[in-house]
């Protein structure tokens, strides 16, 4: 069993790499962003409460996201978890350590995905995803082979996120530097951190992550 955190700013490629690990290693992707978007589209009370915060690019409360992760981990039974977009604050990192400890598990690696902020606007504003299977595409660098049709599942339900615009991205980046980037030092001090050049080609980033997981 391997547990890994993918840590990086919006658009670093966390979701793209998580999906590869699911396919290649049978791991389970736990994306708090996806869970919150699901809550929104289901129209639940919690989903409605977080919608405005997410659209503006702010962070949802620790209590809500830790609750979501606790619920998923309680189901157990996987080849390992990929934490994608969680933890994002020191409180969330402590909570994750406690939750894994209670399950008799540990973190095997924390991958810090390093990018230049300059590329993020282009990555984020060009992104679209398949609403049915979650495959991630980009207008310029990774379009679907047939326009409007998902390569992975054939769906025509391709969507763009409400927070994928420049204003929201600027706020998301600010939140990242204020509240999430301190986790790099936190995990470095624990000896868990591997830095990866996330500006490289998707396949090369995947190879670096794979090497880190095979070591851990
Ligand atoms: P979330 O859904 O987690 O969004 P994010 O962290 O902003 O990250 P993204 O999904 O935007 O980017 P990514 O790194 O996954 O990049 P991707 O692989 O898609 O969170 C959304 C919101 O939910 C937050 O703002 C917050 O409000 C809330 N939230 C979520 N978790 C929370 C938490 N723990 N606490 C509090 N609030 C929380 O790639 C982007 C694009 O680039 C794609 O088009 C892709 O094709 C392309 N690309 C990827 N890799 C490469 C590459 N190597 N080269 C070229 N292009 C690439």
């Amino acid at each position: 069993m391997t547990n890994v955190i993918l840590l990086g700013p919006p658009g670093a490629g966390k979701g793209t790499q998580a999906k590869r690990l699911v396919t290649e290693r049978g791991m389970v992707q736990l994306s708090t962003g996806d869970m919150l978007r699901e809550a929104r589209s289901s129209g639940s009370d919690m989903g409605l409460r977080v919608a405005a915060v997410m659209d503006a690019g702010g962070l949802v409360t620790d209590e809500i996201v830790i609750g979501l992760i606790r619920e998923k981990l309680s189901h157990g039974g996987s080849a390992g978890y990929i934490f994608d977009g969680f933890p994002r604050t020191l409180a969330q990192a402590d909570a994750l350590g406690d939750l894994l400890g209670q399950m008799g598990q540990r973190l095997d690696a924390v991958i810090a995905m390093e990018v230049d902020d300059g590329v993020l606007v282009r990555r984020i504003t060009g992104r679209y995803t398949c609403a049915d299977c979650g495959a991630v595409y980009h207008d310029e660098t990774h379009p679907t082979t047939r326009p409007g049709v998902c390569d992975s599942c054939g769906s025509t339900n391709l969507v763009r996120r409400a927070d994928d615009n420049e204003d929201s991205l600027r706020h998301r980046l600010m939140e990242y530097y204020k509240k999430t980037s301190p986790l790099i030092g936190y995990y470095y001090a624990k000896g868990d951190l591997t830095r990866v050049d996330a500006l490289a080609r998707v396949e090369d980033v995947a190879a670096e992550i794979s090497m880190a997981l095979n070591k851990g």
Side-chain angles (χ1 to χ4, degrees), residues 8-17 31-34 36-37 53-54 57-61 65 84-88 92 123-124 126-128 136-138 141-142 161 163-164 172 198-202 205:
K14 304 180 294 293
T16 300
Q17 295 299 332
S31 157
T32 39
D34 286 349
L36 291 165
R37 280 184 288 278
V53 176
M54 291 177 76
L59 287 192
V60 171
T61 64
V65 289
D84 163 7
F86 180 93
R88 261 174 152 98
Q92 292 178 24
R123 281 198 187 178
I124 288 289
R127 169 174 54 190
Y128 55 101
V136 186
Y137 298 99
H138 190 278
T141 55
H142 179 41
R161 275 169 44 180
D163 59 343
D164 278 352
R172 282 154 71 191
L199 285 174
R201 292 180 326 131
V202 169
V205 179

Side-chain angles (χ1 to χ4, degrees), residues 23-211:
T23 309
E24 289 165 13
R25 295 180 181 241
M27 295 170 75
V28 171
Q29 177 186 11
L30 295 182
S31 157
T32 39
D34 286 349
M35 292 174 209
L36 291 165
R37 280 184 288 278
E38 262 172 47
R40 287 179 66 161
S41 48
S42 76
S44 70
D45 280 354
M46 185 271 275
L48 296 175
R49 266 186 288 138
V50 300
V53 176
M54 291 177 76
D55 288 350
L59 287 192
V60 171
T61 64
D62 288 336
E63 193 194 351
I64 289 179
V65 289
I66 292 167
L68 288 170
I69 289 287
R70 183 183 294 116
E71 158 78 17
K72 294 284 178 186
L73 290 181
S74 68
H75 297 313
S78 93
Y81 294 103
I82 309 148
F83 297 96
D84 163 7
F86 180 93
R88 261 174 152 98
T89 63
L90 291 167
Q92 292 178 24
D94 283 340
L96 178 60
D98 291 346
L99 286 170
L100 289 173
Q102 285 158 19
M103 294 163 63
Q105 292 188 34
R106 63 184 185 94
L107 265 179
D108 298 282
V110 177
I111 308 292
M113 301 184 65
E114 300 187 319
V115 279
D116 281 338
D117 295 346
V119 303
L120 297 179
V121 174
R122 220 163 128 215
R123 281 198 187 178
I124 288 289
T125 54
R127 169 174 54 190
Y128 55 101
T129 55
C130 173
D132 290 330
C133 75
V136 186
Y137 298 99
H138 190 278
D139 291 325
E140 292 157 26
T141 55
H142 179 41
T144 52
T145 312
R146 279 194 296 154
V149 182
C150 176
D151 291 353
S152 300
C153 73
S155 166
T156 52
N157 198 3
L158 301 176
V159 293
R160 292 184 195 265
R161 275 169 44 180
D163 59 343
D164 278 352
N165 58 73
E166 280 197 54
D167 278 350
S168 173
L169 173 64
R170 210 164 297 124
H171 193 191
R172 282 154 71 191
L173 265 180
M174 226 130 66
E175 291 283 73
Y176 174 78
Y177 284 115
K178 269 198 293 195
K179 298 173 184 165
T180 307
S181 66
L183 297 184
I184 293 176
Y186 174 97
Y187 286 117
Y188 174 79
K190 284 175 177 276
D192 293 333
L193 195 79
T194 301
R195 295 173 198 272
V196 161
D197 173 13
L199 285 174
R201 292 180 326 131
V202 169
E203 294 72 22
D204 297 336
V205 179
E208 276 198 67
I209 293 174
S210 222
M211 250 165 40

